[in-house]
Amino acid sequence: MRFISTRGAAPALNFEDTMLTGLARDGGLYLPEAIPGLSADEIRAMRGKSYEEIAHKVMFPYVSENFSSEDFVALIAKAYAGFGHEARAPLVQLGPNHFFLELFHGPTLAFKDFAMQLIGQLFQYALGRSGKRVTIVGATSGDTGSAAIEAFQGLSNVDVFILYPHGRVSEVQRRQMTTPTASNVHAVAVDGDFDTCQGALKDMFNDFTFRDEVALAGVNSINFARVLAQVVYYFSSAVSLGAPDRPVSFTVPTGNFGDIFAGYLAQQMGLPVEKLVIATNQNDILHRTLETREYATTGVIPSISPSMDIQVSSNFERALYYAYGQDGKAVAKEMASLKDTGKFTVSQGAYEALKYTYASGRVSEEETSAEIKRVLAETGELLCPHSAVGVKIGEAHLGATPMITLGTAHPAKFPAAVEAATGIHPPLPPRMADLFDRDERVTRISGDVEDMKALIRDRLV
Ligand SMILES: *Cc1c(COP(=O)(O)O)cnc(C)c1O
């Protein structure tokens, strides 16, 4: 299978090169040239299968050029062995027709582990085979960073630098990034917000001299391999509610649009998904775009759901690519306008295509707290603030079709917000109970990309 860029001007690559590259050289994001389909019978046959078996069925068509079936089975098994729940992604019921998919039983307590644990295995395997070495630089609003460090620490062919916005992540998130001791991981606190970090990362990728010098690799959700790993739980959860014979809808707490875009891919592969509902906090650029056609960035306002404090939603470009009828030139034009003016207006045709697939909603800070409290009282489920944004919007979109809201992080990752809403301080799982006693190691740096490049060069020698 070949992978092509959303901007139509970068060479097509196979899966392994797509994964090791991250961002395309024309600034676009990679997508499969054609999305492989699964028949209703193949989807029906997933009933009663393990998460790992479903993962193999869903992902193998994308990777078969680079991994044998047996090797891929083994890598999937290793990726999910460290999860704290047999089902990996258990589904619980919140109320009539409303279900909650717990995606936070991985090693760092957020859904990011589903993709990161797998690509840690895939990178190690691919680099071990080729003898190559790469430098992974990641930008994080909090959860990607810890998941990447957990997945790549101690690996011999990889150095990892994680850029996070100084003072804008929760203390648990920060400690998960600054306390690992492996010498190949580097936590970097950047003066700025998440968009500063992500913008600097994109600039590094677009500086081809630097990119080639350090063999830069990206594991942000711009990396297609991450999106692919997230397609699996759309299948596993929908099948457990009767798919393909019964359609479902999903509500997804959204920031960079990676998670919900995986739901679109699941739908295009043949899963009967009726609606994909984008749930945003007060940083609501995606909701405003679906209301007004105008994608216009404003400043990020810090919230109690920090992993969604994003105004430049990278993976939305992938949704636009399909909404614009796979016209890479049209996407490149809109992205150039975004870079120059901070906004663009979605074409009428593309807007109708987006509205056909996606719905959206926005939740204020007060509503988020109130929802954590309500759901605990009514169902006993203690939600993290991101999941609460999702559940609130999911509730507003309930209809005849079962709604599955994605639970994106464990409440213990955001204890201050959860305690403020409920009076309950959610404890960390025993395996990380000493997180607050471990020493922290972090480098503070300005938001200037040249300073970041100098730091990386310096650390690599
Ligand atoms: C990353 C993250 C999100 C947003 O996911 P995207 O794929 O960026 O849309 C939501 N909630 C939590 C807890 C996260 O870590």
Side-chain angles (χ1 to χ4, degrees), residues 65-87:
E65 209 177 299
N66 302 110
F67 297 90
S68 73
S69 184
E70 302 73 49
D71 286 348
F72 197 53
V73 165
L75 294 169
I76 291 171
K78 275 197 230 162
Y80 299 119
F83 277 51
H85 197 296
E86 265 309 296

Side-chain angles (χ1 to χ4, degrees), residues 122-456:
L122 300 180
F123 264 70
Q124 184 175 20
Y125 186 90
L127 294 173
R129 189 164 56 183
S130 68
K132 283 190 204 143
R133 183 172 188 89
V134 296
T135 304
I136 290 173
V137 184
T140 184
S141 55
D143 294 326
T144 290
S146 50
I149 288 171
E150 182 73 29
F152 289 96
Q153 62 183 342
L155 298 193
S156 47
N157 293 5
V158 184
D159 288 282
V160 187
F161 293 83
I162 296 298
L163 314 170
Y164 71 84
H166 176 71
R168 298 205 187 202
V169 298
S170 83
E171 188 170 1
V172 173
Q173 288 179 312
R174 189 191 75 232
R175 286 180 173 276
Q176 283 182 331
M177 293 187 276
T178 58
T179 59
T181 54
S183 61
N184 71 326
V185 302
H186 311 268
V188 183
V190 175
D191 287 324
D193 56 26
F194 172 73
D195 291 336
T196 312
C197 300
Q198 181 165 251
L201 181 61
K202 283 192 181 163
D203 289 344
M204 287 183 214
F205 272 103
N206 289 325
D207 175 348
F208 294 153
T209 309
F210 178 78
R211 180 173 180 163
D212 294 337
E213 179 190 334
V214 304
L216 189 63
V219 297
N220 273 86
S221 55
I222 50 178
N223 191 315
F224 181 76
R226 279 203 39 207
V227 176
L228 177 61
Q230 293 167 192
V231 175
V232 176
Y233 47 69
Y234 286 89
F235 275 92
S236 67
S237 59
V239 164
S240 74
L241 291 185
D245 301 305
R246 189 161 73 142
V248 293
S249 289
F250 289 92
T251 300
V252 186
T254 297
N256 225 355
F257 212 81
D259 209 7
I260 193 164
F261 182 74
Y264 176 77
L265 277 184
Q267 183 195 53
Q268 297 306 304
M269 288 180 74
L271 191 69
V273 177
E274 194 172 276
K275 214 65 183 183
L276 289 165
V277 186
I278 302 164
T280 77
N281 66 20
Q282 60 194 358
N283 296 294
D284 61 350
I285 185 164
L286 293 166
H287 177 55
R288 282 186 284 115
T289 303
L290 284 206
E291 298 262 280
T292 67
R293 265 179 66 195
E294 188 167 88
Y295 186 94
T297 54
T298 55
V300 170
I301 314 164
S303 79
I304 57 171
S305 42
S307 305
M308 292 153 63
D309 288 348
I310 292 174
Q311 284 289 305
V312 181
S313 192
S314 293
N315 283 289
F316 192 55
E317 179 168 343
R318 289 188 158 116
L320 289 172
Y321 177 76
Y322 291 108
Y324 278 88
Q326 308 189 36
D327 179 351
K329 280 209 181 77
V331 174
K333 192 170 137 273
E334 304 296 30
M335 292 300 127
S337 162
L338 179 65
K339 194 162 172 84
D340 295 342
T341 67
K343 59 179 198 269
F344 64 90
T345 304
V346 179
S347 76
Q348 187 61 36
Y351 182 65
E352 277 159 27
L354 289 172
K355 292 288 263 191
Y356 182 75
T357 306
Y358 302 98
S360 67
R362 165 195 195 277
V363 179
S364 72
E365 295 290 276
E366 299 72 36
E367 289 170 324
T368 306
S369 292
E371 189 68 359
I372 296 175
K373 193 171 174 186
R374 180 190 75 81
V375 173
L376 178 66
E378 290 180 13
T379 74
E381 183 86 14
L382 191 56
L383 302 178
C384 94
H386 311 77
S387 306
V389 167
V391 170
K392 172 97 183 159
I393 299 294
E395 201 70 23
H397 285 81
L398 284 184
T401 305
M403 175 65 75
I404 299 174
T405 294
L406 271 49
T408 50
H410 193 284
K413 229 174 161 171
F414 304 92
V418 172
E419 188 165 2
T422 61
I424 293 170
H425 188 93
L428 285 167
R431 66 177 184 279
M432 42 180 92
D434 69 340
L435 187 65
F436 283 76
D437 305 327
R438 299 181 202 159
D439 288 335
E440 293 193 72
R441 197 164 51 98
V442 60
T443 307
R444 176 98 178 261
I445 199 163
S446 82
D448 184 342
V449 66
E450 294 307 324
D451 289 346
M452 300 180 207
K453 287 186 207 162
L455 172 80
I456 292 167

